[in-house]
Amino acid sequence: MANTPRKKTPTKAAPATAVTSVTMDDLNKVNERLKTAFDEHDRDRATQINQLEEKEKQLLDRLSKLDEEKLKAASANGNVDVSDDDFLEINAGSKVIAVKRGTLTQLRGSRLEAMFSGRWDKELVRDSNGRLFLDVNSDCFQAIVDYMNELAISSEDDPPMPPTVDDELRHILSHQMNLFGLT
C-alpha cells in the first residue's frame, strides 16, 4: 500500500461552455436593460432640455416685450435719451440736492431706480425753478443720497453701512428707505 498508486475516479463537472453561455446570456440581458435605461434617460434628458429651451425662449420674448413697454413709457412719460452721467437737481424738502442719475438708479428694480430712470421725467413734480420736487425730509433724503454715493464707490465685498440719521429722524429715514424700495 505504501507505493500503490491511487486510482483516479472520474468526477462529473458541468461543461465549461454551458456555464459560460448562461453567464453570457445573463450579461447580455443586463446589458440590454442598461442600454434601454440609458436610452430612456437620454430621451428624458433631451425632452427636459427642449422644455427648458422653450421656457427660456418664452422668458426672453417676455423680457423683450417688457423692454418695449419700458421704452414706450419712457417715450410717453419721460426722456429716452438719458444717461447715468446726467446731473439731477432735486428739491427735497426745500433743500436742493445735486446728484448724478446713475447714483440713484444703480439698484435695479427699486422704486428709486424707476423714479429717476428717465422713464417718468415728464410726470415728476417740479418746483418753480424746474427742479424735481420731493416732499420728503431733506436730512433723510440726503442720508439716502450719501449712502447711494458710497454704494457706487464700494466693492461688493465691502458694502457701506446703511444710512443713519439722528434718533428723532430714524423712523422717517426707515419710511423713506421703504418708500424708495431700498430695504
Side-chain angles (χ1 to χ4, degrees), residues 101-146:
R101 184 183 304 273
T103 300
L104 299 177
T105 61
Q106 64 185 305
L107 294 177
R108 303 291 182 221
S110 68
R111 287 188 196 114
L112 194 67
E113 183 263 337
M115 180 181 261
F116 295 107
S117 66
R119 295 187 303 266
W120 305 105
D121 278 2
K122 293 178 187 174
E123 300 298 318
L124 295 175
V125 177
R126 298 189 179 267
D127 68 10
S128 59
N129 294 317
R131 296 183 192 106
L132 297 172
F133 177 77
L134 297 178
D135 192 11
V136 295
N137 179 281
S138 59
D139 292 331
C140 294
F141 189 72
Q142 181 68 61
I144 290 171
V145 171
D146 292 344

Side-chain angles (χ1 to χ4, degrees), residues 42-123:
D42 207 33
R43 276 192 303 276
D44 290 346
R45 186 178 58 82
T47 300
Q48 288 177 346
I49 288 172
N50 287 338
Q51 290 171 344
L52 288 171
E53 286 173 345
E54 181 60 33
K55 187 68 172 176
E56 180 185 34
K57 182 181 178 292
Q58 291 171 355
L59 289 171
L60 289 172
D61 289 345
R62 186 173 173 201
L63 181 61
S64 176
K65 287 177 184 175
L66 287 172
D67 285 341
E68 287 175 21
E69 289 179 26
K70 276 178 149 180
L71 186 59
K72 284 181 188 176
S75 297
N77 304 307
N79 184 355
V80 292
D81 296 322
V82 298
S83 166
D84 283 347
D85 291 328
D86 292 345
F87 278 98
L88 302 176
E89 285 189 342
I90 302 169
N91 178 343
S94 299
K95 178 180 179 183
V96 176
I97 299 172
V99 61
K100 284 187 175 184
R101 184 183 304 273
T103 300
L104 299 177
T105 61
Q106 64 185 305
L107 294 177
R108 303 291 182 221
S110 68
R111 287 188 196 114
L112 194 67
E113 183 263 337
M115 180 181 261
F116 295 107
S117 66
R119 295 187 303 266
W120 305 105
D121 278 2
K122 293 178 187 174
E123 300 298 318

Side-chain angles (χ1 to χ4, degrees), residues 20-36:
T20 306
S21 68
V22 169
T23 304
M24 288 305 289
D25 285 344
D26 289 343
L27 285 174
N28 286 337
K29 287 176 185 175
V30 169
N31 239 0
E32 198 55 41
R33 286 194 308 230
L34 282 172
K35 184 179 179 334
T36 301

